[in-house]
């Protein structure tokens, strides 16, 4: 698991911005990836998915809910497909349910802004 990306997403959950674009994540986590390159974009998606899969397995909220496509308020299809694999329901239904993504983001912020959780699980 990429701990730099995970820590950066935890910082986002605890901070004021509350969301981060894929491009900013690449820059701030110093990943050196190019989103114009399909292979490198899929590498980033795999890193983010792996983090959320491990968080989910540990009973923690999905950090990938905080990463959005630049210029959009919502996640891309990959996020909702991940949620389907994790048992949240049909990805198409989840994508149409605007409350779902907001609930995921709120749960993530609430969890990581709790100092006890931050100290225990960082």
């Amino acid at each position: 698991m990429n701990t730099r990306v995970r820590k950066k997403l935890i910082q986002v959950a605890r901070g004021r911005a509350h969301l981060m674009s894929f491009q900013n994540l690449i820059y701030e986590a110093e990943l050196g990836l190019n989103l114009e390159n399909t292979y490198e974009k899929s590498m980033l998606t795999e890193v983010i998915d792996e983090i959320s899969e491990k968080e989910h397995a540990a009973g923690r909220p999905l950090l990938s809910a905080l990463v959005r496509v630049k210029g959009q308020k919502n996640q891309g299809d990959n996020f909702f497909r991940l949620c389907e694999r994790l048992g949240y329901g049909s990805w198409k239904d989840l994508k149409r349910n605007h409350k779902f993504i907001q609930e995921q983001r709120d749960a993530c912020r609430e969890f990581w802004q709790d100092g006890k959780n931050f100290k225990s699980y960082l």
Side-chain angles (χ1 to χ4, degrees), residues 11-116:
Q11 288 175 353
V12 171
R14 292 178 57 83
R16 292 186 183 141
H18 297 301
L19 294 177
M20 177 169 275
S21 70
F22 284 101
Q23 190 63 47
N24 286 347
L25 180 59
I26 289 170
Y27 176 75
E28 291 191 27
E30 300 175 351
L31 298 176
L33 298 174
N34 177 0
L35 289 177
E36 300 298 320
N37 180 306
T38 306
Y39 175 73
E40 291 184 13
K41 186 176 181 177
S42 70
M43 285 175 51
L44 179 60
T45 300
E46 287 177 24
V47 166
I48 294 169
D49 283 359
E50 179 185 16
I51 291 167
S52 280
E53 287 167 352
K54 290 189 180 206
E55 294 297 304
H56 177 76
R60 296 187 293 267
L62 306 177
L63 285 166
S64 57
L66 303 175
V67 184
R68 64 174 174 75
V69 177
K70 192 171 187 168
Q72 296 183 14
K73 293 181 181 179
N74 213 345
Q75 311 313 96
D77 291 350
N78 287 330
F79 172 77
F80 296 105
R81 287 186 174 120
L82 167 69
C83 291
E84 182 178 67
R85 289 194 309 272
L86 296 176
Y88 287 93
S90 162
W91 76 270
K92 290 181 181 180
D93 292 340
L94 296 173
K95 187 174 180 175
R96 284 189 292 265
N97 180 354
H98 299 289
K99 288 183 181 179
F100 174 75
I101 188 63
Q102 192 58 49
E103 289 168 353
Q104 294 302 309
R105 290 174 179 163
D106 291 345
C108 202
R109 289 183 199 114
E110 182 179 329
F111 183 87
W112 288 109
Q113 288 178 4
D114 182 318
K116 183 179 171 186

